[in-house]
């Protein structure tokens, strides 16, 4: 992922990105049902590194499993590359936790750019105070072994009904999280920046009393001319 692309995506909203992807026929890229835990005031951006859970079977998922040095949940935390966002497929269920504050703290200390699950985290209040961006459905206290078995690291997953492939670009803001296919991340970032500049102009116009028709979207030449002048004066 280009650093220039990462910087651009830090300054645009998930809503704007969703529109840019919709233009390209991609309608299901927002991870449904997840929310930030203690929003950090800046976007979460990074390539996806995935972990997939499957339904637990009692003979395979006792607490002793955590003593296994090859346990996939632990291995995923220790191998997620710095700058990546760990995305967990928890089967859209917060009945048991996807992880807790100790593992998320370790991910943070290793340089992780964020973590997302379509399940829940335990120790959510503590995670909220960490510097790493985290997104989940809701707090969940039971250990993941109660319902889940971590089964695959860095393969294709579904998270909140969104398809996620390793290396896809993940962006989270104060609202939610979106998945940008890696191959189009640069062009989507460029377009989203342009869309954001125009939307900022529109907001200024609306606050000044302007009507929406012909302004948003910009279909009247007079509005496009005003935008060009506004952009020049704003230095954008």
């Amino acid at each position: 992922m280009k650093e220039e692309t990462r910087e651009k995506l830090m300054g645009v909203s998930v809503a704007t990105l969703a529109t840019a992807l919709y233009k390209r026929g991609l309608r299901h890229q927002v991870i449904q049902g997840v929310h930030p835990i203690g929003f950090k005031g800046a976007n979460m951006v990074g390539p996806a590194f995935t972990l997939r859970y499957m339904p637990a079977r009692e003979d395979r998922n006792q607490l002793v499993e955590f003593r296994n040095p090859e346990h996939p949940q632990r291995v995923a935390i220790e191998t997620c590359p710095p700058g990546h966002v760990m995305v967990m497929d928890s089967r859209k269920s917060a009945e048991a936790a996807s992880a807790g504050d100790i593992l998320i703290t370790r991910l943070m200390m290793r340089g992780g750019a964020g973590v997302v699950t379509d399940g829940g985290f335990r120790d959510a209040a503590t995670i909220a105070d960490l510097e790493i961006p985290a997104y989940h459905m809701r707090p969940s206290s039971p250990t993941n072994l109660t319902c889940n078995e971590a089964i695959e690291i860095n393969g294709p997953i579904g998270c909140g009904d969104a398809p996620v492939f390793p290396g896809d670009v993940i962006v989270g803001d104060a609202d939610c999280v979106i998945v940008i296919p890696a191959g189009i991340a640069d062009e989507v970032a460029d377009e989203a920046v342009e869309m954001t500049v125009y939307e900022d102009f529109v907001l200024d116009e609306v606050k000044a009393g302007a009507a929406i028709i012909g302004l948003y979207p910009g279909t009247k030449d007079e509005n496009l001319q005003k935008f060009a002048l506004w952009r020049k004066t704003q230095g954008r």
Side-chain angles (χ1 to χ4, degrees), residues 49-69:
F49 181 87
T50 66
L51 175 65
R52 179 171 66 87
Y53 286 105
M54 65 175 287
R57 199 176 75 189
E58 287 77 5
D59 63 326
R60 292 174 55 91
N61 287 272
Q62 302 299 316
L63 280 174
V64 68
E65 293 301 322
F66 284 151
R67 296 180 178 272
N68 179 3

Side-chain angles (χ1 to χ4, degrees), residues 27-202:
R27 303 186 178 198
H28 303 287
Q29 299 305 115
V30 171
I31 297 178
Q32 297 297 315
V34 304
H35 313 282
I37 309 174
F39 181 62
K40 313 307 176 189
N43 282 3
M44 172 186 72
V45 180
F49 181 87
T50 66
L51 175 65
R52 179 171 66 87
Y53 286 105
M54 65 175 287
R57 199 176 75 189
E58 287 77 5
D59 63 326
R60 292 174 55 91
N61 287 272
Q62 302 299 316
L63 280 174
V64 68
E65 293 301 322
F66 284 151
R67 296 180 178 272
N68 179 3
E70 296 182 358
H71 187 273
Q73 184 200 45
R74 268 54 175 172
V75 172
I77 293 292
E78 293 293 342
T79 57
C80 179
H84 283 56
V85 175
M86 181 175 285
V87 185
M88 302 182 185
D89 173 0
S90 293
R91 305 184 298 118
K92 298 192 295 182
S93 173
E95 186 175 353
S98 304
D101 65 322
I102 293 175
L103 296 188
I104 302 306
T105 298
R106 176 58 179 162
L107 182 65
M108 177 184 72
M109 297 305 294
R110 294 194 62 257
V115 60
V116 184
T117 179
D118 60 0
F121 291 125
R122 64 197 313 192
D123 316 305
T126 302
I127 293 173
D129 289 334
L130 298 176
E131 295 179 6
I132 186 171
Y135 293 75
H136 73 169
M137 287 177 60
R138 62 170 174 80
S140 179
S141 293
T143 181
N144 75 87
L145 293 170
T146 308
C147 301
N148 294 326
E149 178 176 350
I151 197 68
E152 183 181 20
I153 297 173
N154 216 30
I157 63 170
C159 185
D161 290 326
V164 185
F165 292 84
D168 283 347
V169 177
I170 308 298
V171 181
D173 64 8
D175 292 335
C176 52
V177 180
I178 196 166
V179 183
I180 306 173
I184 60 172
D186 295 342
E187 66 180 71
V188 168
D190 289 342
E191 181 171 348
V193 168
E194 290 300 305
M195 291 170 64
T196 299
V197 174
Y198 186 73
E199 288 167 358
D200 289 346
F201 160 73
V202 168

